[in-house]
Amino acid sequence: MLRPLLSMIDVALARHSDRIIANSRFTAAELNRVYGRTADCIAYPGIDYPAYLCEKWQKERAIITVARLSRFKRIDFLLEVFR
């Protein structure tokens, strides 16, 4: 019920941002679509690969996700698929 109002407020507030930095090309495209703004730059999140490697590394099934827990992200579906 409040979603349309909150969406309008969100879009209005985005117009007053000094800079917008996206974390991927997809997010930059969504910024353009939703807010009509172009991302000032894309800052890809870094991963320290050597920190995850070791001599006895074994392949195992794993899912790593970094996301806010919301219905849109479908973490429940991801867990069901993994199970």
Side-chain angles (χ1 to χ4, degrees), residues 6-71:
L6 294 175
S7 292
M8 287 183 356
I9 292 170
D10 182 48
V11 170
L13 289 174
R15 290 186 190 126
H16 299 289
S17 300
D18 293 331
R19 289 187 168 263
I20 296 182
I21 301 171
N23 65 351
S24 67
R25 286 185 301 222
F26 173 80
T27 304
E30 285 296 293
L31 284 167
N32 196 2
R33 183 183 68 80
V34 173
Y35 299 104
R37 298 261 328 249
T38 302
D40 294 299
C41 67
I42 298 175
Y44 296 101
I47 297 175
D48 185 10
Y49 290 109
Y52 294 98
L53 299 177
C54 66
E55 292 176 15
K56 296 180 181 179
W57 186 72
Q58 297 176 358
K59 285 188 177 182
E60 58 182 69
R61 294 174 38 178
I63 294 177
I64 298 173
T65 182
V66 178
R68 181 175 55 192
L69 294 177
S70 66
R71 281 187 249 162

